[in-house]
Amino acid sequence: MSERSLRSLYISHGGGPLPLMGDPAHMELVATLKQLAANMPRPEAIIVVSAHWEADVATVLEASAPPLYYDYSGFPPETYSISYPVAGHPELAAEVRQCLAAEGLAPAADSERGFDHGLFIPLKIMYPDASIPCIQLSLLRSMDPAAHIRMGKALARLERPNVLLLGSGSSFHNLQAYFGKPDPDIYQRNQAFENWLVETLGEQSMDETEREQRLVQWSTAPHARYCHPREEHLLPLHVCYGASASAASAVYRFNMLRMLGSCYYWE
């Protein structure tokens, strides 16, 4: 167990419910998520920062038993009855709000929203028994990368032991590229950005001031705006980095929907 009370993990959660539908293009992602769960200490609670929830201020889902929010469309009827009866954790939610407030972030609480697919799809793969209580924390609608790193730094104040911060997004998120006509140039752009991301998060000798500045200025990375036309799937990574302020302990790479992707774990 690390001396940190909070471990961080940034993952790709895949395309809607496809990881649970046996989709061949998600097989490597599913195997990676299972491997991650097997390799990590089992957490006692999970804080999920999902790409699919944005709010004006950092908002914490505090309900004791949130419903599932099927925030995808165009899939078979059975995907709207997927079950993941995981409990909420109001006490942890209150502690997270206190951490955010101590950092001057003026958080809000939400008791009505459900757990979106950025939570229940990957966790159904990683922890299928649904026995680990979860809360969700929103992204900021401003999409300010520095503000999301600051959110992570606030979460580092958390004193509750054995909590996992799960950033659920995608290291590559260009829907047109995923489902469009194959093009070698697309793959080169994808690989260039992935290599930059792996270097930024994985290089142990990099000074933390430089690492943080690279993440703040992520849009200047090779082909960054092609790989992320909008950054909501990348910013959960910034929160995870902020909570750890160090190089990732482990980097996992995989292919999904013909594209390279990566996950980052901080012990």
Side-chain angles (χ1 to χ4, degrees):
M1 178 71 67
S2 165
E3 292 182 359
R4 291 190 184 111
S5 62
L6 183 68
R7 298 188 306 277
S8 301
L9 173 65
Y10 172 76
I11 63 166
S12 296
H13 57 239
L18 287 171
L20 299 181
M21 295 172 63
D23 177 53
H26 281 77
M27 288 181 64
E28 285 191 29
L29 173 63
V30 170
T32 299
L33 294 177
K34 290 180 177 179
Q35 181 184 4
L36 280 162
N39 290 352
M40 296 187 304
R42 185 179 176 88
E44 295 177 20
I46 302 175
I47 303 166
V48 178
V49 180
S50 168
H52 294 278
W53 187 19
E54 301 169 24
D56 291 335
V57 299
T59 305
V60 184
L61 185 54
E62 65 175 8
S64 59
L68 298 192
Y69 173 32
Y70 303 100
D71 56 331
Y72 42 72
S73 60
F75 291 96
E78 62 269 21
T79 64
Y80 300 91
S81 58
I82 290 170
S83 175
Y84 193 70
V86 69
H89 200 319
E91 296 84 2
L92 175 59
E95 292 167 14
V96 165
R97 292 200 310 275
Q98 290 171 2
C99 292
L100 294 166
E103 189 71 19
L105 291 171
D110 186 313
S111 60
E112 297 182 359
R113 190 183 190 274
F115 287 145
D116 64 53
H117 81 274
L119 183 149
F120 69 81
I121 295 295
L123 290 186
K124 192 172 178 69
I125 294 166
M126 296 173 72
Y127 303 110
D129 61 3
S131 65
I132 304 173
C134 297
I135 67 170
Q136 272 197 248
L137 171 63
S138 75
L139 295 175
L140 300 173
R141 202 166 273 125
S142 68
M143 300 284 110
D144 180 350
H148 287 85
I149 293 174
R150 187 180 173 199
M151 284 171 59
K153 291 179 178 179
L155 295 177
R157 299 172 180 264
L158 192 68
E159 296 181 355
R160 180 182 290 267
N162 198 18
V163 175
L164 176 66
L165 170 62
L166 181 68
S168 181
S170 185
S171 61
F172 178 90
H173 196 253
N174 182 319
L175 297 182
Q176 185 176 1
Y178 277 139
F179 300 108
K181 185 177 180 180
D183 181 344
D185 182 58
I186 291 175
Y187 306 135
Q188 290 171 5
R189 296 181 197 179
N190 168 216
Q191 183 166 22
F193 182 75
E194 282 290 327
N195 289 345
W196 176 88
L197 207 54
V198 169
E199 178 185 48
T200 299
L201 276 302
E203 179 53 61
Q204 298 290 328
S205 64
M206 186 179 295
D207 178 80
E208 289 313 313
T209 301
E210 178 185 355
R211 195 187 320 275
E212 180 171 337
Q213 202 55 33
R214 283 168 71 114
L215 289 171
V216 169
Q217 299 176 352
W218 72 272
S219 62
T220 64
H223 308 294
R225 279 297 179 188
Y226 179 80
C227 296
H228 290 277
R230 192 171 184 274
E231 55 265 52
E232 80 285 347
H233 276 71
L234 184 67
L235 288 177
L237 172 63
H238 290 66
V239 182
C240 289
Y241 168 74
S244 303
S246 66
S249 307
V251 176
Y252 295 75
R253 306 189 77 169
F254 55 88
N255 284 278
M256 182 186 79
L257 292 169
R258 304 180 306 190
M259 300 296 170
L260 291 173
S262 48
C263 299
Y264 302 88
Y265 175 58
W266 288 263
E267 182 65 55

